[in-house]
Amino acid sequence: CEGSVGLYFPQNQYKETVYVGQSAGTPVLQVHAMVESDSQRPHFYLCYLRPPTYAPWFHLDETTGILSMNKTLEWSDFDSAYKFWKLPLSVIAATRPLKKFLCGLSHPTVQVSLTFINDTAPPCGQTRPELKKLCFPDKDLSSHIKENRFPGALRQLRQLTRLNVCPNYTISYSVESDVPAPFAVNDNTTELVVTAPLDREERETYSPMLICTVQTDTMIDKFFVTLHINIYDEDDNAPYVSGTDTEDVVLEFDRKQGSSFGNLVVYDRDTTPRYPKSQSQNRFVGNMMTNDSWINEMFTIEYSFKEEKAIFGNVRGTVHEFRLALKKDLSVTEYRTLQLDYLVNDTTYPHPEGTVMLHYNITILPVPIHFTNVTYLFTLTRRANVYSQVGRICVDNSLKFQGINVTYRLAVAEKTENVSDDVQSCNAAISIAQSLKDMVGVLYVNDTEALRRPECQDLQYVVIAQEQQNLLQASTQILIVLDNDINKQGLEDQRFLSCAKGRQRGDCENIRGLGATTGRCQWRQGSAKGISESYSTCSPDLRTCPDGFCDAVESKDASICPQDCTIEPVIGGHEKGIMSGIRAGHGTCYCYSEKCFCEKDDVEEAMCDEVCKTIIATAV
Amino acid sequence: EQRMKPVEGRGCLLKEVHLNVTDLGLGYRTKEELIFRYCSGPCSDAETNYDKILNNLTHSKKLVKDTPSRTCCRPITFDDDLSFLDDNNEDYHILRKHSARKCGCV
């Protein structure tokens, strides 16, 4: 198969029609193969794995590539079971004469598709469409040429089956192009010839105009058609960087596995095919130039490529992107600088300078786990109900943390032995929950009985934050100042309802709802028409509910904020939240337990009531 | 418990009306339409002694301030879900249990 290197067919397939009465010796079509060098000559063979019955009807000339009839086609040759009959043939090309020619992968192959029509060939015509058919095939006017290859004949322009149909006509061809293009017609053979090697990076497609002149003693007529010639790419450009081959990367708060940093770009004027996957043309291979096992364990380079046109002078080229990525969570105590070199290799580029070295200057800063040096102060009314959110606590920069896990817990501030059990039990009033979307602790009311006892004065706690990978701890004091408004009646009733069942402002503001920060529920009056995110509803605290997110405290009990947390189907016009709850609703949304309804206030009478009233009325 | 299954009153029938989705009053903005099927008609022939007693007690004002529900023509199964595209061409909505398939006196 080394004998066929460089040979290729400039057409994907050949098509022609054959008719009854087409006589032995007449040509059908001509195949061409492009060569690598002037000394190469292609040899053509029909190839079969198992010869079909019609195989002996055709003969392919080994040197010219002209396919001709071996016998005159008879009516009886046509299989009358079909309206027309497709006769597929395969042609291989080789640079040396072959003795055995089995079809296989070792030689370039092209399909020749002949359509056998159950009729005699149409006679010579005079109308323009008939004349045009003498000049050009109906379709199939595209070819391709590989760049940087030896010039040569590309295709036969004459319709060989029509050669002898109109013996008095002289048919000649010429080619024109509006851009400089190395195409010409060989008048002796009526072949289209490419006269010079082409460069895809200069121009990817050519559309020369083919002119066919039909001449008789009495008239002359010209026909025009546009050819489409694609230039195929090969890896003939080395990769290069534009500007910098060095990127400074600082790793601080984002230390998460999979996060990526910095973007170094390598350009290559060649195209990079995505399919087939196995194709290696212009695919880059990269290597981290380090033996340091820690660096190899921690970092990797993410590689992707995309096609661009504008930056390469309106010809397709490839932009290869290399990003530094973390293979695992980076410890908060890690503190170092390092340089990582990455060698990029364009493996299919045939010359030595097909590599680029990239450099990442990496600075890893440690992340201290500590609270800014103040005592947190929160105020809370004693009327607040269980699951009321008191405030949020977080270590410095925790909102920027990625891949750093911090948990929070409460401890009692001063453990004094002589404090009575009653006062000790005041501490049960507050708990802390871990926020679900960031590294924040949420303080909430846990025990209203403790909160309302007069002997429970201002509450003092220590919050301990613990980082999970290294178990680093930090602590801060918090002080929760309670007002003096002890509602005696409130103390008696410990049953809390869900705010969400309030359907009107009046009802709502009288409910002592679960999670209500002020002791009473709050009403939100929506104003928008249709289905809106600001629907009317009753909430324990409008800052947290409904905000479209079922937070750490809300998720402790489905009755706190079913508008954010319900996972049951919602009745009425609404849009679902992403994970749970109602994203938008029509009119007022209210919920009984976890079942929520959204409706306009004026629709209140249910269908059954109307019907039943009518029945009662008729019964009376 | 076996006798709890709905009785098919002769007057309680499945009817249908051709509507725009906006007519449903659910707040959706769309040009889609649907066939809405509903249950309608009297259920008097499906009444039992229970209903007769309730009727008598209501009239003799023995049930103070209370009017218990009577036999009622209601869907006993629902149509398939209805999906439609919002006018903004972004959101799909799915209506479930929105239209009757079969009626009964319950």
Side-chain angles (χ1 to χ4, degrees):
Chain A
C1 51
E2 67 207 65
S4 54
V5 163
L7 268 189
Y8 70 95
F9 288 101
Q11 257 176 272
N12 291 328
Q13 65 167 341
Y14 292 85
K15 281 183 178 172
E16 194 48 88
T17 309
V18 291
Y19 294 94
V20 174
Q22 203 145 342
S23 52
T26 57
V28 178
L29 56 81
Q30 184 176 11
V31 298
H32 286 87
M34 306 296 287
V35 296
E36 182 87 311
S37 70
D38 201 16
S39 59
Q40 274 186 344
R41 288 285 173 270
H43 298 260
F44 300 103
Y45 305 96
L46 287 172
C47 69
Y48 311 101
L49 292 172
R50 206 180 58 198
T53 51
Y54 55 82
W57 301 354
F58 302 99
H59 171 257
L60 181 65
D61 187 278
E62 183 183 332
T63 51
T64 61
I66 292 177
L67 183 76
S68 54
M69 302 307 302
N70 230 0
K71 70 175 280 272
T72 304
L73 290 179
E74 314 283 349
W75 290 101
S76 56
D77 292 329
F78 193 85
D79 186 338
S80 56
Y82 306 98
K83 274 189 169 168
F84 57 86
W85 194 6
K86 288 270 184 198
L87 311 174
L89 298 168
S90 287
V91 174
I92 55 171
T95 49
R96 296 180 299 197
L98 298 178
K99 288 211 177 78
K100 280 172 103 183
F101 22 94
L102 287 171
C103 301
L105 293 170
S106 53
H107 295 283
T109 308
V110 72
Q111 300 302 315
V112 176
S113 174
L114 301 176
T115 307
F116 186 11
I117 306 262
N118 186 15
D119 201 353
T120 52
C124 179
Q126 269 107 45
T127 65
R128 291 203 88 229
E130 284 168 326
L131 292 178
K132 192 172 183 184
K133 283 201 165 152
L134 290 178
C135 288
F136 305 120
D138 291 337
K139 44 191 174 184
D140 211 21
L141 280 160
S142 66
S143 300
H144 53 262
I145 302 173
K146 291 187 182 177
E147 65 170 338
N148 310 323
R149 297 302 176 89
F150 197 76
L154 196 61
R155 66 188 298 150
Q156 173 60 255
L157 296 175
R158 280 305 306 264
Q159 302 289 96
L160 297 182
T161 55
R162 317 285 288 153
L163 267 184
N164 302 316
V165 171
C166 302
N168 297 332
Y169 290 22
T170 311
I171 296 176
S172 61
Y173 293 90
S174 61
V175 65
E176 280 179 14
S177 180
D178 53 352
V179 294
F183 300 106
V185 175
N186 179 337
D187 289 328
N188 297 328
T189 59
T190 62
E191 284 171 316
L192 180 71
V193 177
V194 55
T195 56
L198 290 160
D199 181 10
R200 189 204 66 92
E201 282 73 38
E202 194 182 303
R203 194 176 176 86
E204 285 196 289
T205 59
Y206 290 89
S207 304
M209 177 89 82
L210 206 54
I211 302 149
C212 173
T213 309
V214 182
Q215 197 172 357
T216 65
D217 298 342
T218 54
M219 64 95 179
I220 183 164
D221 209 341
K222 281 179 190 269
F223 298 91
F224 303 85
V225 85
T226 305
L227 279 174
H228 298 285
I229 297 170
N230 293 312
I231 311 305
Y232 279 14
D233 192 26
E234 65 177 12
D235 194 351
D236 57 342
N237 289 276
Y240 62 95
V241 292
S242 169
T244 181
D245 58 359
T246 305
E247 179 87 0
D248 295 327
V249 173
V250 178
L251 300 183
E252 195 173 9
F253 300 120
D254 185 355
R255 305 170 96 88
K256 193 185 174 76
Q257 175 189 347
S259 290
S260 60
F261 310 88
N263 190 17
L264 283 171
V265 179
V266 176
Y267 300 91
D268 191 311
R269 291 174 54 79
D270 295 314
T271 56
T272 309
R274 274 183 200 277
Y275 298 102
K277 292 261 188 208
S278 57
Q279 192 161 341
S280 62
Q281 186 190 319
N282 209 36
R283 289 275 163 95
F284 284 15
V285 173
N287 269 310
M288 296 215 293
M289 306 303 282
T290 177
N291 290 327
D292 185 324
S293 62
W294 186 83
I295 296 175
N296 277 309
E297 240 170 63
M298 215 47 161
F299 294 105
T300 183
I301 301 293
E302 281 178 354
Y303 165 54
S304 63
F305 65 87
K306 61 187 180 189
E307 192 174 280
E308 289 279 353
K309 214 167 166 177
I311 53 173
F312 298 108
N314 222 21
V315 169
R316 290 175 305 141
T318 313
V319 176
H320 300 265
E321 295 180 320
F322 298 88
R323 290 171 70 83
L324 182 74
L326 280 172
K327 277 162 91 173
K328 50 170 84 169
D329 284 354
L330 188 60
S331 163
V332 288
T333 55
E334 208 62 67
Y335 182 28
R336 62 170 99 185
T337 58
L338 56 110
Q339 182 174 329
L340 177 59
D341 295 334
Y342 191 73
L343 183 69
V344 172
N345 189 0
D346 181 354
T347 49
T348 51
Y349 183 67
H351 307 292
E353 60 274 28
T355 60
V356 170
M357 186 70 87
L358 303 176
H359 312 279
Y360 295 91
N361 291 329
I362 306 169
T363 308
I364 303 171
L365 297 175
V367 175
I369 301 292
H370 75 83
F371 289 98
T372 307
N373 229 355
V374 291
T375 304
Y376 284 81
L377 181 71
F378 299 104
T379 57
L380 179 65
T381 160
R382 288 182 194 263
R383 283 172 286 130
N385 290 346
V386 68
Y387 297 127
S388 294
Q389 297 193 21
V390 180
R392 290 154 63 86
I393 286 274
C394 58
V395 294
D396 295 359
N397 299 307
S398 71
L399 293 178
K400 299 182 207 159
F401 285 3
Q402 297 279 325
I404 305 171
N405 281 323
V406 182
T407 58
Y408 297 87
R409 64 189 162 88
L410 280 185
V412 179
E414 292 153 38
K415 254 195 175 168
T416 38
E417 311 233 325
N418 53 357
V419 172
S420 69
D421 285 355
D422 270 3
V423 175
Q424 279 281 334
S425 67
C426 293
N427 293 320
I430 303 295
S431 275
I432 197 162
Q434 189 74 30
S435 169
L436 301 175
K437 59 177 174 186
D438 41 27
M439 289 302 133
V440 170
V442 187
L443 296 165
Y444 67 96
V445 174
N446 180 48
D447 182 351
T448 44
E449 195 265 330
L451 189 65
R452 279 160 208 181
R453 283 211 316 267
E455 61 269 30
C456 293
Q457 296 297 321
D458 296 349
L459 300 163
Q460 237 183 337
Y461 299 91
V462 172
V463 173
I464 298 161
Q466 181 166 286
E467 183 273 328
Q468 293 300 291
Q469 197 179 5
N470 300 288
L471 303 179
L472 304 176
Q473 289 194 342
S475 67
T476 186
Q477 291 233 325
I478 58 165
L479 178 64
I480 298 170
V481 179
L482 304 177
D483 64 8
N484 287 319
D485 177 19
I486 298 170
N487 187 340
K488 289 271 191 285
Q489 282 162 340
L491 280 176
E492 289 153 16
D493 186 7
Q494 282 293 323
R495 288 184 308 113
F496 296 113
L497 302 167
S498 172
C499 289
K501 76 188 187 71
R503 291 182 62 178
Q504 263 134 28
R505 179 184 287 272
D507 304 339
C508 171
E509 290 172 350
N510 278 320
I511 302 173
R512 292 165 32 75
L514 215 54
T517 13
T518 61
R520 300 285 176 186
C521 300
Q522 299 171 351
W523 178 256
R524 181 174 81 177
Q525 182 62 45
S527 51
K529 283 179 105 180
I531 293 170
S532 148
E533 286 181 36
S534 64
Y535 54 86
S536 298
T537 200
C538 185
S539 149
D541 184 349
L542 287 172
R543 291 169 302 177
T544 54
C545 171
D547 61 353
F549 176 71
C550 186
D551 67 36
V553 178
E554 286 165 1
S555 57
K556 286 187 181 291
D557 188 317
S559 314
I560 302 170
C561 185
Q563 296 101 314
D564 283 343
C565 299
T566 184
I567 47 169
E568 302 224 353
V570 176
I571 310 297
H574 74 284
E575 277 170 37
K576 270 188 173 170
I578 296 166
M579 299 289 286
S580 61
I582 305 166
R583 193 175 76 76
H586 183 225
T588 305
C589 295
Y590 58 93
C591 309
Y592 295 128
S593 154
E594 271 201 85
K595 181 143 190 181
C596 296
F597 304 83
C598 293
E599 64 190 41
K600 250 334 201 201
D601 305 325
D602 45 46
V603 189
E604 280 196 39
E605 294 279 295
M607 193 79 140
C608 179
D609 293 356
E610 283 296 325
V611 176
C612 293
K613 272 182 205 159
T614 325
I615 297 166
I616 294 165
T618 43
V620 176
Chain B
E1 289 299 311
Q2 289 301 312
R3 298 167 122 222
M4 286 298 284
K5 75 172 189 181
V7 187
E8 303 210 11
R10 268 175 294 162
C12 171
L13 297 173
L14 186 66
K15 299 179 182 177
E16 65 178 43
V17 58
H18 183 198
L19 296 173
N20 296 322
V21 170
T22 47
D23 295 333
L24 303 180
L26 297 177
Y28 297 113
R29 274 171 299 193
T30 176
K31 292 180 184 68
E32 300 270 357
E33 302 168 16
L34 81 161
I35 303 287
F36 174 69
R37 298 191 177 83
Y38 61 100
C39 300
S40 171
C43 277
S44 39
D45 58 350
E47 288 191 340
T48 59
N49 276 334
Y50 169 80
D51 299 287
K52 297 297 176 200
I53 293 166
L54 273 188
N55 196 17
N56 297 339
L57 293 180
T58 313
H59 279 234
S60 57
K61 299 197 165 86
K62 288 270 180 7
L63 303 177
V64 188
K65 282 187 184 173
D66 209 359
T67 47
S69 299
R70 309 284 302 275
T71 309
C72 188
C73 181
R74 291 276 303 161
I76 52 176
T77 54
F78 289 97
D79 256 350
D80 295 337
D81 295 350
L82 173 77
S83 318
F84 57 91
L85 191 60
D86 206 280
D87 265 356
N88 62 17
N89 281 339
E90 276 174 28
D91 299 317
Y92 253 104
H93 300 287
I94 301 174
L95 286 183
R96 296 192 166 87
K97 294 192 176 179
H98 64 288
S99 176
R101 170 173 286 168
K102 211 171 170 187
C103 301
C105 289
V106 291

